[in-house]
Amino acid sequence: MSVSATTITFQFNDGQPAQTHVAASGESVLDVALNNGIQLQHNCGGVCGCSTCHVYINAGGDDLPEISDKEEDFIDRAENPRINSRLACQCVVEAGTQLVVTVPPQHFLGH
């Protein structure tokens, strides 16, 4: 029995075309973005200590770990949070996950 590849499709609000990348089980959305040259801020280094890696999960969110209280607190501080907001550093994928993620504008360098 073969397990389908774990993929993350990154969509952007700035007009650049969507990108789909394969992810290894146990990688975070932030890891996959950075490993593929996608600009996604991560001021705290990916330890759930800020809100700069905020993304919107458009599909596949049910396959992600449940949101923690700490992550929820940081999302409340993010720019334009929505019901499907998550921190990319906390979105760890498992085998067979198919995610679609929107990367909000990254204009807040140093925020």
Side-chain angles (χ1 to χ4, degrees):
M1 173 166 87
S2 82
V3 176
S4 62
T6 298
T7 61
I8 302 174
T9 299
F10 293 91
Q11 300 173 331
F12 307 91
N13 287 334
D14 65 3
Q16 62 179 302
Q19 299 179 31
T20 300
H21 298 285
V22 175
S25 182
E27 277 189 303
S28 71
V29 171
L30 177 61
D31 294 332
V32 175
L34 297 178
N35 290 341
N36 289 285
I38 295 172
Q39 181 182 343
L40 183 54
Q41 295 304 309
H42 53 287
N43 289 355
C44 73
V47 296
C48 196
C50 68
S51 63
T52 59
C53 70
H54 169 240
V55 294
Y56 303 114
I57 305 297
N58 300 322
D62 290 343
D63 293 329
L64 294 173
E66 189 173 321
I67 192 168
S68 69
D69 290 341
K70 182 177 180 183
E71 181 183 359
E72 229 172 332
D73 288 343
F74 281 111
I75 287 172
D76 287 342
R77 302 175 200 169
E79 197 170 309
N80 299 316
R82 299 179 187 159
I83 193 76
N84 62 334
S85 290
R86 291 293 303 262
L87 298 181
C89 68
Q90 298 302 294
C91 295
V92 176
V93 297
E94 297 302 326
T97 302
Q98 309 297 309
L99 283 182
V100 178
V101 175
T102 297
V103 177
Q106 299 287 294
H107 57 73
F108 52 86
L109 290 171
H111 172 59

